[in-house]
Amino acid sequence: METPSEENQDQRQDKRGCFECCIKCLGGVPYASLVATILCFSGVALFCGCGHVALTGTVTILETHFSKVTSDHAMLTDVIQLMQYVIYGIASFFFLYGIILLAEGFYTTSAVKELHSEFKTTICGRCISGMFVFLTYILGVAWLGVFGFSAVPVFLFYNMWSTCATMRSPMANLTNIESICVDVRQYGIIPWNATPGKACGTTLCDICNTSEFYLSYHLYIVACAGAGATVIALIHFLMILSANWAYLKDASQMHAYQDIKMKEERELQDITSRSKECLNSYT
């Protein structure tokens, strides 16, 4: 029958074993990949969600105030619908790609942790890591373009907002605000034959006061910030993947060196044992 001191010692050993197991599990988590994945998901979600709603609000503003004939902006409507479908594809792709990169981070972390054990990295694993480095680099360059493109509507809406703010400001001291106009046709958004194509004076102020304009303007800002966060996440992923690929390469070289060393030691032991046998036979 166990004494109370022995029972307490067993409980302490159990707790110590659970604690060591938790520390070991936490040590295998790729925290850098986890942070990059969360940042990537957040950026893509902001860009896709806010961009989709902002594009819908932009179509409403154009149809209501700048191009009242449907045929004038039919092509623009089709392009915006296509962009919204592309947003769906981007969201689905990056959800899957982020999970794959996180899984690859777990794999390479395990490979590095087990560098001196029986775990061996294969040529296929190193090729997959190299492929992810190349693909992430291409996606990073593409998202730089997306980030620049998402800043264009922010610039256009900011011009309208600043014009309206100037007209409402008492410091401007404007005598004829009806002469101040914003013509969206000069940006190539709608054709030159679109009517009315521009908004002036009080009409422009009314547009700036609409909920569609206010919501779309701020959603474009958030979408642009989301694209920037995605670029940062991809750069983070690129650094992680490059480091992991280098670790895997070093691990494979280390295992190759260990295999050669073990073979040489076995051969040396065989030679030593044979020489001893020969000496014993002579004696």
Side-chain angles (χ1 to χ4, degrees):
M1 186 173 181
E2 293 183 354
T3 61
S5 60
E6 291 177 349
E7 292 180 356
N8 293 332
Q9 186 176 0
D10 292 338
Q11 291 177 357
R12 286 196 297 269
Q13 289 179 353
D14 292 338
K15 291 180 179 178
R16 187 182 304 169
C18 293
F19 178 76
E20 292 177 353
C21 181
C22 292
I23 294 298
K24 185 177 180 180
C25 292
L26 292 175
V29 176
Y31 293 102
S33 297
L34 186 62
V35 171
T37 302
I38 294 173
L39 184 61
C40 182
F41 284 171
S42 302
V44 172
L46 288 175
F47 174 79
C48 294
C50 296
H52 186 277
V53 178
L55 287 172
T56 303
T58 302
V59 173
T60 303
I61 293 172
L62 290 174
E63 290 178 347
T64 306
H65 304 285
F66 294 99
S67 181
K68 297 183 179 180
V69 180
T70 306
S71 59
D72 292 340
H73 59 270
M75 182 177 179
L76 178 63
T77 303
D78 295 336
V79 171
I80 289 179
Q81 289 180 352
L82 179 62
M83 292 175 65
Q84 289 176 334
Y85 287 124
V86 170
I87 284 175
Y88 297 147
I90 290 174
S92 303
F93 172 78
F94 271 90
F95 177 76
L96 179 62
Y97 190 68
I99 292 177
I100 292 174
L101 290 182
L102 183 61
E104 200 271 344
F106 274 101
Y107 163 74
T108 51
T109 301
S110 300
V112 174
K113 293 293 182 182
E114 302 293 336
L115 180 61
H116 299 288
S117 69
E118 296 298 326
F119 186 93
K120 293 186 178 181
T121 59
T122 61
I123 297 176
C124 181
R126 296 196 300 273
C127 291
I128 291 175
S129 296
M131 182 192 67
F132 281 135
V133 172
F134 176 75
L135 183 58
T136 304
Y137 176 80
I138 297 299
L139 291 174
V141 173
W143 269 96
L144 280 174
V146 173
F147 176 66
F149 178 76
S150 62
V152 174
V154 176
F155 173 73
L156 299 180
F157 273 78
Y158 174 76
N159 284 340
M160 292 182 62
W161 176 82
S162 60
T163 303
C164 294
T166 301
M167 288 189 296
R168 290 194 295 263
S169 176
M171 301 296 295
N173 195 18
L174 299 175
T175 57
N176 186 14
I177 63 173
E178 297 299 329
S179 61
I180 301 176
C181 301
V182 171
D183 194 344
V184 298
R185 294 174 296 186
Q186 63 181 344
Y187 301 116
I189 300 175
I190 56 178
W192 281 103
N193 58 356
T195 54
K198 63 180 181 179
C200 302
T202 56
T203 303
L204 181 59
C205 291
D206 293 338
I207 295 174
C208 294
N209 291 329
T210 58
S211 59
E212 290 85 2
F213 178 86
Y214 182 83
L215 181 63
S216 299
Y217 177 41
H218 289 85
L219 286 179
Y220 275 128
I221 295 175
V222 177
C224 184
T230 306
V231 172
I232 295 174
L234 290 174
I235 294 174
H236 196 178
F237 267 130
L238 187 60
M239 293 188 294
I240 295 167
L241 292 170
S242 300
N244 289 341
W245 183 82
Y247 290 151
L248 291 178
K249 184 179 179 181
D250 292 341
S252 63
Q253 292 176 352
M254 179 64 70
H255 282 298
Y257 170 75
Q258 289 177 352
D259 291 339
I260 295 173
K261 185 178 179 181
M262 290 177 63
K263 290 179 181 179
E264 290 179 350
E265 289 177 353
R266 290 174 184 173
E267 291 177 356
L268 183 61
Q269 289 177 358
D270 293 338
I271 293 172
T272 304
S273 62
R274 289 175 185 175
S275 63
K276 288 181 180 179
E277 290 176 357
C278 292
L279 290 173
N280 291 331
S281 63
Y282 285 126
T283 55

